[in-house]
Amino acid sequence: MYVPEPLTTLIDAAREAGVTFVYAVSPGLDITYSSAKDVTCLKHKLEQVASFGCEAFAILFDDIDVELCDADKSLYQSFASAQACYYCTCTLDSQI
């Protein structure tokens, strides 16, 4: 996943300067919201960055196609509900 040094240096420098370091991630253009693999991958990334001392996170869905894939269409009523479920699944019961 990530090498600790660059991120821990940034996180520590931000903390020393009184700034909140926010780790932002986009799930990707080919996301399947109902995919356990996609959820697990993001959870591991967030947990790893949290282990480096990061306490603030942003999951960005702004550049993702608003059309749900076939697997998600049968599970979610809307794009917003798919995103909300994905976010909650990635962050609840997690170390972040």
Side-chain angles (χ1 to χ4, degrees):
M1 299 277 268
Y2 293 111
V3 177
E5 183 57 36
L7 282 175
T8 55
T9 300
L10 284 171
I11 293 165
D12 292 343
R15 188 175 292 120
E16 289 173 16
V19 175
T20 301
F21 177 88
V22 179
Y23 176 77
V25 63
S26 176
L29 298 176
D30 61 347
I31 184 173
T32 300
Y33 295 98
S34 58
S35 166
K37 181 181 175 186
D38 285 355
V39 169
T40 300
C41 181
L42 183 59
K43 281 178 90 165
H44 287 169
K45 280 184 184 181
L46 297 176
E47 289 171 351
Q48 183 184 28
V49 176
S51 76
F52 299 157
C54 185
E55 299 174 342
F57 300 87
I59 300 176
L60 308 176
F61 296 104
D62 58 325
D63 290 332
I64 297 175
D65 190 0
V66 296
E67 184 68 29
L68 293 173
C69 70
D70 290 340
D72 289 338
K73 285 180 183 177
S74 63
L75 294 172
Y76 303 108
Q77 295 179 353
S78 69
F79 185 57
S81 64
Q83 289 179 342
C85 185
Y86 183 81
Y87 172 81
C88 289
T89 304
C90 288
T91 59
L92 297 177
D93 300 325
S94 161
Q95 300 299 318
I96 63 165

